[in-house]
Structure formats: C-alpha cells, structure tokens
Amino acid sequence: MPIDLILRKLRQKHTLVITAVCLLAALVGVAVYLSLPMPEGAALDGQDLSGLPYWKAWSAAKQLYPQPIRVSLPEEELKFEPRECGVKFDMGAAVGAARKTRCNVELRPFLKADEDAIRTKLENYAEKYDTTYREAEWHLTGTAPELATDRFDPTAPGQRLVVGMGLPEAHLNVDGVLDAILDSFSHPVSRNGDLIASVVKPERIPQMPDAESLYKEVYIEPVNDSPDLTTGGVKPGTYGQSVDLEALKAALAAAEYGQTVDLPLTYTAPDVIGEDALFQDVLGEYETKHNTNENRNNNLRLLCQALDGYIVEPGETFSYNAVVGERTAERGYLPAPAYSGNRLTDSVGGGVCQGSTTLYNCVLLADLEVVFRACHGAAVSYVPAGLDATVNYLTTDFQFRNQYRFPVKIRAEVSDGYVKMKLLGTDEKDYYVKMETSSGEDDLAVYARSYKCKYDKQTDALISREIEAFSTYYKNIG
C-alpha cells in the first residue's frame, strides 16, 4: 500500500476522532448548561423560575402558551383561538431574558400574533352594532278626535302617545379591545379565566323622557258646557285629553334605549254637559224646619218628589197645584194638621203649605215674578210673618213666572229635619236679594210687611228696598 494512501486514511480517522470528541464535548456542555439552575428572581409572567434547571424552566415556559379567549360585548360574545390568531411565543428568548435579567419578564415582547385577523373580527362586530346618536322624541298617532261636547264620538278610535327612547352614540374601541386581547394572551397566568368583559361606552347619551313633562304636553283639561249669553242656549265645552300617568311612568322605566313606548290617550267628559250647563247657578235657596209628625213629614216628602227636577221654561208660569197635583189618599198623602182659613184641622195632605212657603222664599231670593201668593189665615212657625204662601188644591194656588232668558230648575228634598229647596239656572243679574219683614198687631190680628232688598254683587251696596207683600194673620184660631 502506498505511503500516501496510508497517510490519507490516518488523517481521516484523526478527523473523525476529533469530530467525535468535539460533539461529545458539545453535548456535555449543553447538558451542563441545561442543568444549570435559573438565578434567584428569574420569573415569567409572575411564575417563579428561581433554582429550576434551565430545561425545567423551558418546560414551565411551554405551559404559558395561551388558551382561547372569549370577549363579552353588548350584543355578542366573540371567541378568539390562539391558532387562528396566529399566536406564537419565543419561549427560548423569554427564558433567556429571565435568566439574564434575574427578574420577572413580561411575555408581551415575545408574543407574535396576527393582529389583522383579530382586528377584522372586531371591526365586523362594530359594523353590525355600532350606533348613531338619536334623541328621544314623542308624537301622537291616529286621527285627533273632535273634543267639542256636541261633536265628540266616544266610539271613535282615539290617538296614541308614542315615545321613542332615543339611542346613544356608541362605537367599539377596536384598538382598545385588540390591545386587551393581546395583553390577555401574554398574561395566561394572571388572567382570571378566559373572558374579557369589554363594555362599549357611549360617547353621547340621550336624555330619558320625563313622564310628568310628557303628561303635561298631551293633557287637555275638560271644559264644561256653559250658557250661551247671546243665544240663550248651551255653549258646547270640550272633552279632556290625557294619558295614564302611572302607566306612562312604569313603561318609561322599563323601556331601554332604542325601544318605543306606545300608550293610548284617554278622554274625559266634563262635569257639566247639555242642559245641565243652564243650571249651574243657585238663583235662590231656602230651608224650613219641620216637626216630628210622621204623617205630615210623609206629605212633605211626596211634594218634594213632585217638585224635584221640574224645569220652568223662559216665559212659563209655574203653578204649585198643577205640578204637585191633588193631595189624595190614593196618591199616598196622609191626614195631618193644616189651616183652613184660620182654623187648624186634620186634612189629607196637611203640610203641603210648608212646601209652597219654602218655594216662595226661593222665588223671592231669585227675584222671579210672583204671579199669585196668599198668606195663611194664621201665622205659621217655620217662617217669619209675611214670608209664607198658603195653598189649597181647589181654591188657592201659588204661582210665579220665569221672566228670564234661561230655564229654571227646582231642586227639593226633605233631609236632616228640614225641607230644603233651591232654584238653579243661569244668573245674569248684577245684584242679589235679601228679604226683610216688619209687623204690627192689634187685638184681632198681626199685620206684616215683607221687603225685597237688592244689593250690588261687587260692592254689597244697597240698590233698592221695596215692599213685596202685605199679610194679615188672625189671632182667634177657631
């Protein structure tokens, strides 16, 4: 074998030996390096690596690889998988940095992620759910009904109050959420679970509608019908309009932004409609005390039932006997003390003169025209002398005429020990009436005068005092 060939083979073997020795030395070096303990204070994302062999520190770092993250947003929950987000960590560099710095190392600098993929997912959400500012507003729907009392149709559909709750201007902070996701990926140890609660904070918030203010906006107060002083008829009023305030408060409190509250309006009739408008003023009012005779009180109740509600039209002459009717047992009247001339006897219907007397005083105070009135033959106890009016179905009536432009209604009742009457109508007078009496007497009789006194309504000054009637009451009662 040539010498040069032998030398070449020797050199090859030498090279292999040297290479093997070098590899062995390298492996020994790596083993030694991997077995070296991490210095005191070395940590990754708060996880202590102090004293761990390097290879165990590397193994611990692998456990920090991120888990999936769910992001809770107002309208949807988004899930981000690390792999689909292209998340990668350079764990070797992170462990080396911890070893070198001997302190806690944040993982964020060693994180790589596909930020464009994360941003696209967030922007798709924002495109669907970002909101544009809208003020709260209200309006009425439906056809407004005629509210005039002579045209209002209670069967017609009414209007409804519709309140839009408004909408805040809100935009998802894509950069902020993206940064939170990346930060969560880089803090797997300190992260509490895998849910990020991200609130989309409104930039402008509309003022919530106020129930009281809305109620005032739609409220229309009902207006009573009233006398038409030009025509002598009835002037129509109007129905009121409102919404149920408590229901509105509850609906607004329960509604959320962007929703609509829808409530029906309610319509309220005024207190006075139609001919009742002509009887709102008390023209004259009077009451007389009755006694305890039950038969007499029965008769008083019957005559009041006959009179109550009777309307005396303009120009009409009222007849007490015609309206009350004949006082008979068949009609329920009972025997009771009554005057016949100046004699006190029991007769069917006794006591009806107290009704005519009470009505007579109402007529005087209302200043209606007295057509016929007669006094009793003897004085009665329930009114001053000169202010009574006797009646007898066959012989004596009490009559008055309504000389005014508007009708007059009689109200009559027996209650609380009194016969109570009033005349209702439309008072156009600028004065009111008070009655006065004076009397004198001799052995035969008591002589009385009644005076009608008129006073100015504004100043209470006496306008006039005139004799109304003369009355004679005989003392000798047979």
Side-chain angles (χ1 to χ4, degrees):
M1 180 180 295
I3 190 66
D4 56 343
L5 180 59
I6 293 172
L7 291 174
R8 189 180 307 118
K9 287 184 177 182
L10 288 174
R11 282 196 297 269
Q12 288 176 346
K13 288 181 178 180
H14 183 264
T15 301
L16 290 173
V17 170
I18 293 174
T19 301
V21 170
C22 289
L23 286 174
L24 180 60
L27 289 173
V28 171
V30 169
V32 171
Y33 180 80
L34 291 176
S35 64
L36 289 176
M38 294 289 287
E40 190 69 28
L44 288 179
D45 191 35
Q47 181 168 326
D48 188 17
L49 303 179
S50 301
L52 291 177
Y54 190 81
W55 67 271
K56 283 192 174 182
W58 180 275
S59 179
K62 285 185 177 180
Q63 303 302 315
L64 299 180
Y65 188 81
Q67 298 298 311
I69 295 173
R70 288 179 296 162
V71 179
S72 177
L73 296 169
E75 303 295 338
E76 191 177 339
E77 184 178 273
L78 304 180
K79 186 175 181 180
F80 293 87
E81 293 282 356
R83 294 188 182 281
E84 73 177 16
C85 297
V87 175
K88 294 179 181 179
F89 273 113
D90 189 344
M91 293 300 177
V95 173
R99 184 186 186 96
K100 182 178 181 180
T101 60
R102 300 171 180 266
C103 64
N104 183 56
V105 170
E106 296 289 338
L107 300 184
R108 182 70 176 269
F110 307 96
L111 168 71
K112 289 184 179 181
D114 187 350
E115 295 187 17
D116 289 340
I118 301 173
R119 181 183 296 277
T120 297
K121 196 169 185 177
L122 293 173
E123 287 178 345
N124 288 339
Y125 172 91
E127 185 177 346
K128 287 193 296 182
Y129 299 117
D130 279 5
T131 57
T132 303
Y133 181 79
R134 185 170 71 237
E135 284 281 4
E137 59 85 27
W138 69 273
H139 62 276
L140 298 179
T141 61
T143 303
E146 287 278 3
L147 295 180
T149 54
D150 60 340
R151 297 192 297 274
F152 182 79
D153 180 4
T155 64
Q159 289 187 292
R160 302 183 69 87
L161 171 64
V162 178
V163 183
M165 298 304 291
L167 197 64
E169 181 176 357
H171 302 285
L172 177 65
N173 183 357
V174 173
D175 289 334
V177 178
L178 172 60
D179 190 65
I181 292 171
L182 295 176
D183 191 58
S184 184
F185 277 146
S186 63
H187 289 86
V189 174
S190 60
R191 176 156 54 87
N192 183 19
D194 62 345
L195 182 66
I196 299 176
S198 179
V199 178
V200 181
K201 294 184 178 180
E203 298 175 19
R204 281 198 299 167
I205 300 177
Q207 184 176 358
M208 295 294 282
D210 177 67
E212 297 280 356
S213 299
L214 287 174
Y215 179 84
K216 291 178 181 178
E217 289 284 350
V218 302
Y219 179 77
I220 297 175
E221 186 173 4
V223 177
N224 290 335
D225 286 5
S226 59
D228 190 326
L229 301 181
T230 302
T231 65
V234 176
K235 182 179 180 181
T238 56
Y239 274 70
Q241 172 182 284
S242 63
V243 66
D244 187 322
L245 180 57
E246 294 308 314
L248 179 59
K249 287 180 179 179
L252 292 179
E256 298 179 357
Y257 288 120
Q259 292 184 338
T260 298
V261 169
D262 187 333
L263 291 175
L265 296 188
T266 57
Y267 301 93
T268 307
D271 294 332
V272 179
I273 296 180
E275 71 169 16
D276 287 345
L278 304 177
F279 307 115
Q280 298 186 76
D281 298 328
V282 177
L283 306 178
E285 183 174 16
Y286 203 77
E287 61 182 31
T288 56
K289 188 173 181 62
H290 62 71
N291 61 30
T292 59
N293 185 300
E294 284 304 314
N295 282 5
R296 190 174 188 278
N297 293 339
N298 170 78
N299 298 338
L300 293 176
R301 285 189 289 270
L302 289 176
L303 71 89
C304 283
Q305 291 172 11
L307 291 173
D308 190 51
Y310 187 85
I311 295 175
V312 185
E313 299 293 345
E316 178 185 350
T317 296
F318 169 88
S319 166
Y320 186 86
N321 283 336
V323 174
V324 175
E326 187 174 3
R327 280 70 81 179
T328 65
E330 291 75 17
R331 299 184 64 221
Y333 287 91
L334 301 174
Y339 281 109
S340 176
N342 65 336
R343 296 177 60 197
L344 190 62
T345 62
D346 270 4
S347 63
V348 175
V352 293
C353 292
Q354 185 168 351
S356 57
T357 294
T358 307
L359 183 59
Y360 171 57
N361 280 270
C362 290
V363 168
L364 293 176
L365 296 175
D367 201 23
L368 289 163
E369 179 186 339
V370 177
V371 175
F372 185 85
R373 167 262 177 184
C375 66
H376 287 79
V380 296
S381 61
Y382 43 81
V383 289
L387 295 180
D388 61 314
T390 188
V391 290
N392 182 284
Y393 187 74
L394 296 176
T395 61
T396 308
D397 199 6
F398 166 60
Q399 299 178 356
F400 68 89
R401 191 176 76 87
N402 177 12
Q403 75 273 26
Y404 298 131
R405 295 190 303 157
F406 293 96
V408 173
K409 178 184 287 188
I410 301 172
R411 302 314 303 257
E413 65 175 345
V414 178
S415 64
D416 304 324
Y418 286 85
V419 177
K420 300 178 181 180
M421 294 189 189
K422 63 177 68 173
L423 297 178
L424 304 178
T426 300
D427 194 357
E428 297 184 87
K429 304 189 303 297
D430 59 2
Y431 63 89
Y432 61 91
V433 172
K434 288 185 177 182
M435 297 302 297
E436 294 180 2
T437 60
S438 64
S439 63
E441 61 180 291
D442 57 21
D443 293 339
L444 182 64
V446 174
Y447 308 96
R449 289 186 179 184
S450 60
Y451 301 87
K452 182 178 288 184
C453 305
K454 298 180 181 180
Y455 295 86
D456 186 280
K457 283 184 177 178
Q458 293 186 343
T459 65
D460 293 324
L462 179 64
I463 299 172
S464 63
R465 183 176 186 271
E466 298 178 352
I467 293 177
E468 174 64 26
F470 295 93
S471 303
T472 300
Y473 306 97
Y474 295 97
K475 294 181 177 180
N476 183 22
I477 300 176

